[in-house]
């Protein structure tokens, strides 16, 4: 286990012990702000029709999918955060206990790509929103300003969490969100039962994917928690409530739409919708900050002496340049959700091994031995996920549909890829973990 020191900010390298400064309210504010995102609103539009081959969901089914997906996804997020508080290790370092130090480099590489990708997408989303709120000519300015602000925030992460996010941002965006809900609910809505429940679990998978996408980052922040309980509660409650609120905002805005399939245009059509959305756009910068910061922390699992003071500007600069070059964040998001499916079975194996097999006796040292048998649950869970839900990336989807045909397997519409993947990976992790873990005399 790592120990604490008295510093008031994160050290620039991974060497040394993490300061333990974040209480329950700090972490609830952090995760609540990370969940307050236009990205979740846009993702909410897919909940009503998650599969073009199936009938759209009823409003009741969509609301239920949001709640069920938020509870399941954020329970996992909380468990990942708790482990970070107990060990003092960031997320990718935690995986040394599951796969060994060298074995943890594979998910570390995937997480670096994921974090950099999400930072780019968030910048794209902010810039696109600014372009619509003001003028398209403002898009490049918004990209550069967002990238620069997020990079500066990544240099002093604990100061950002305890100062700006907790004391200012959360209250302003809560007021803006409440206003949007009131205005959206004034529109005529379809009857709760109009539609189908056939794609319920596919819709649930979309909701689960968002908190799961933050699971490989959770311990990067919870390692600074004052207690494991505060870490679990702050992550699960903060991001859980935000998940429910912003997915529902997307669902309701789409269901009562007056602007076609464009949920942002629908919200802009509300009285004072431009001002409310502008507040949310400004708050979106914290998602970019978190992804830039965690990209660096993930890389420090491979090179602990990597200095954040120069690495963060490089990461922020790359994300900014990518956002300037590309603007189709919807297609990019489909790829990132696919990449996120890598981490559902991986952290299923981690949670089972950490909490049920090894029960906290976890090696996060530089000498953590390789545990190659634990790759089996990860791969088996990943394959299970793809066979049930091959995603929306066309070439990847075609490959796994062909594998379904080879096996004569047609996934039932009630099957959840996330849950089934978790069960397969978790079960194998328990069996293999018990078989390969030396018993105490």
């Amino acid at each position: 286990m790592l120990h604490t020191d008295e510093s008031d900010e994160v050290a620039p390298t991974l060497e040394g012990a993490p300061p333990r400064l974040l209480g329950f309210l700090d972490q609830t504010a952090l995760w609540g702000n990370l969940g307050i995102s236009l990205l979740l609103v846009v993702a909410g539009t897919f909940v009503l029709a998650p599969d073009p081959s199936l009938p759209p969901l009823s409003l009741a089914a969509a609301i239920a999918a949001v709640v069920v997906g938020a509870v399941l996804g954020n329970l996992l997020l909380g468990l990942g955060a708790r482990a970070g508080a107990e060990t003092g290790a960031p997320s990718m370092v935690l995986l040394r206990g599951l796969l060994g130090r060298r074995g943890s480099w594979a998910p570390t590489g995937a997480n670096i790509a994921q974090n950099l990708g999400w930072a780019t997408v968030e910048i794209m989303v902010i810039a696109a929103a600014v372009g619509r709120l003001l003028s398209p000519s403002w898009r490049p300015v918004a990209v550069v300003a967002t990238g620069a602000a997020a990079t500066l925030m990544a240099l002093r992460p604990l100061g950002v969490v305890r100062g700006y996010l907790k004391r200012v941002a959360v209250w302003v965006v809560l007021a803006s969100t409440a206003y949007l809900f009131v205005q959206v609910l004034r529109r005529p809505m379809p009857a709760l039962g109009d539609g189908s429940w056939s794609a319920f679990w596919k819709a649930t998978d979309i909701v689960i994917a968002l908190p799961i996408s933050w699971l490989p980052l959770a311990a990067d922040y919870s390692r600074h928690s004052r207690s494991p309980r505060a870490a679990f509660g702050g992550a699960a409650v903060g991001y859980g409530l935000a998940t429910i609120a912003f997915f529902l905002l997307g669902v309701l805005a789409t269901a009562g739409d007056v602007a076609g399939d464009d949920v942002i245009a629908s919200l802009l059509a509300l009285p004072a919708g431009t001002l409310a959305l502008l507040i949310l756009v400004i708050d979106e910068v914290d998602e970019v900050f978190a992804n830039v910061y965690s990209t660096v922390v993930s890389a420090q699992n491979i090179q602990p002496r990597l200095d954040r003071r120069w690495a963060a500007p490089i990461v922020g600069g790359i994300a900014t340049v990518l956002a300037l070059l590309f603007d189709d964040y919807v297609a990019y998001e489909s790829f990132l959700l696919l990449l996120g499916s890598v981490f559902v079975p991986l952290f299923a194996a981690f949670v089972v091994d950490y909490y049920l097999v090894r029960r906290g006796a976890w090696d996060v040292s530089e000498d953590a031995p390789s545990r190659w048998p634990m790759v089996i649950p990860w791969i088996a869970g990943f394959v299970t996920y793809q066979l049930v839900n091959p995603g929306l990336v066309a070439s990847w989807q075609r490959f796994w549909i062909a594998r379904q045909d080879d096996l004569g397997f047609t996934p039932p519409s009630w099957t959840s890829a996330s849950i089934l993947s978790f069960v397969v990976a978790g079960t194998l992790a328990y069996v293999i973990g018990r078989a390969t873990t030396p018993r105490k005399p």
Side-chain angles (χ1 to χ4, degrees):
M1 302 292 178
L2 302 178
H3 302 286
T4 63
D5 64 18
E6 299 301 321
S7 171
D8 64 352
E9 192 48 85
V10 184
T13 69
L14 201 58
E15 298 173 308
R20 303 283 193 152
L21 299 174
L22 301 182
F24 170 74
L25 292 179
D26 296 312
Q27 292 170 94
T28 302
L30 166 66
W31 288 105
N33 271 283
L34 292 178
I36 295 171
S37 171
L38 290 177
L39 200 60
L40 268 68
V41 177
V42 174
T45 65
F46 297 106
V47 171
L48 283 166
D51 188 337
S53 66
L54 296 172
L57 265 64
S58 67
L59 189 55
I63 293 172
V66 167
V67 174
V68 171
V71 170
L72 294 177
N74 285 285
L75 176 61
L76 268 179
L77 182 65
L79 290 173
R82 182 183 179 93
E86 289 177 342
T87 62
S91 296
M92 294 300 104
V93 175
L94 269 177
L95 293 179
R96 294 177 183 179
L98 180 70
L99 301 171
R101 181 170 182 260
R102 290 185 181 275
S104 71
W105 291 355
T108 295
N111 197 41
I112 290 171
Q114 175 181 243
N115 290 340
L116 183 58
W118 280 116
T120 303
V121 165
E122 292 287 357
I123 295 175
M124 289 179 185
V125 169
I126 292 170
V130 169
R132 298 181 67 170
L133 292 170
L134 302 178
S135 164
S137 63
W138 280 89
R139 184 184 183 278
V141 176
V143 167
V144 174
T146 301
T151 300
L152 290 174
M153 293 167 74
L155 297 177
R156 290 191 59 82
L158 293 186
V160 169
V161 173
R162 301 172 72 208
Y164 170 67
L165 295 184
K166 178 183 176 182
R167 297 176 184 175
V168 179
V170 68
W171 304 109
V172 176
V173 295
L174 281 176
S176 175
T177 304
Y179 172 79
L180 287 174
F181 262 105
V182 169
Q183 294 298 325
V184 166
L185 289 172
R186 293 177 64 183
R187 293 179 175 182
M189 293 287 167
L192 285 174
D194 288 352
S196 169
W197 283 75
S198 58
F200 173 81
W201 285 111
K202 288 200 171 184
T204 303
D205 280 338
I206 293 173
V207 181
I208 291 174
L210 271 296
I212 290 296
S213 73
W214 288 102
L215 184 50
L217 291 72
D220 298 351
Y221 309 94
S222 66
R223 66 193 293 251
H224 304 291
S225 177
R226 294 172 188 162
S227 71
R229 180 178 296 181
F232 175 85
V237 173
Y239 201 86
L241 292 177
T243 301
I244 292 172
F246 276 76
F247 265 102
L248 284 182
L249 185 59
V251 167
L252 295 172
T254 303
D257 188 18
V258 295
D261 296 326
D262 190 336
V263 67
I264 300 301
S266 185
L267 293 175
L268 285 172
L270 297 172
T274 299
L275 177 60
L277 281 177
L278 182 61
I279 292 171
L280 296 184
V281 167
I282 294 172
D283 183 69
E284 196 95 10
V285 177
D286 57 28
E287 280 91 341
V288 187
F289 138 68
N291 281 292
V292 169
Y293 172 68
S294 282
T295 301
V296 177
V297 175
S298 296
Q300 287 174 331
N301 178 44
I302 300 172
Q303 179 48 260
R305 294 177 181 83
L306 182 68
D307 194 316
R308 189 177 72 255
R309 290 170 296 187
W310 62 263
I314 291 176
V315 173
I318 293 172
T320 301
V321 170
L322 289 174
L324 284 170
L325 294 175
F326 305 102
D327 59 5
D328 186 2
Y329 62 83
V330 175
Y332 202 23
E333 184 181 356
S334 298
F335 169 74
L336 291 172
L337 290 174
L338 168 61
L339 191 58
S341 70
V342 169
F343 293 100
V344 174
L346 176 64
F347 276 90
F350 166 78
V351 166
V352 169
D353 198 42
Y354 182 89
Y355 287 102
L356 300 181
V357 178
R358 300 211 161 193
R359 299 182 182 179
W362 206 247
D363 189 351
V364 296
S365 70
E366 293 281 325
D367 301 319
S370 296
R371 298 178 66 204
W372 296 113
M374 299 307 290
V375 174
I376 297 173
W378 180 19
I379 294 175
F382 178 74
V383 170
T384 299
Y385 191 106
Q386 304 310 318
L387 287 172
V388 175
N389 184 2
L392 299 174
V393 178
S395 58
W396 184 265
Q397 184 185 63
R398 285 194 299 270
F399 173 84
W400 286 101
I401 290 175
R403 303 294 76 76
Q404 291 175 352
D405 294 339
D406 293 341
L407 296 170
F409 172 68
T410 301
S413 60
W414 48 264
T415 305
S416 165
S418 297
I419 295 174
L420 193 56
S421 170
F422 187 95
V423 170
V424 169
T427 301
L428 286 174
Y430 184 80
V431 172
I432 294 173
R434 290 293 298 267
T436 58
T437 299
R439 296 189 178 184
K440 295 180 181 179

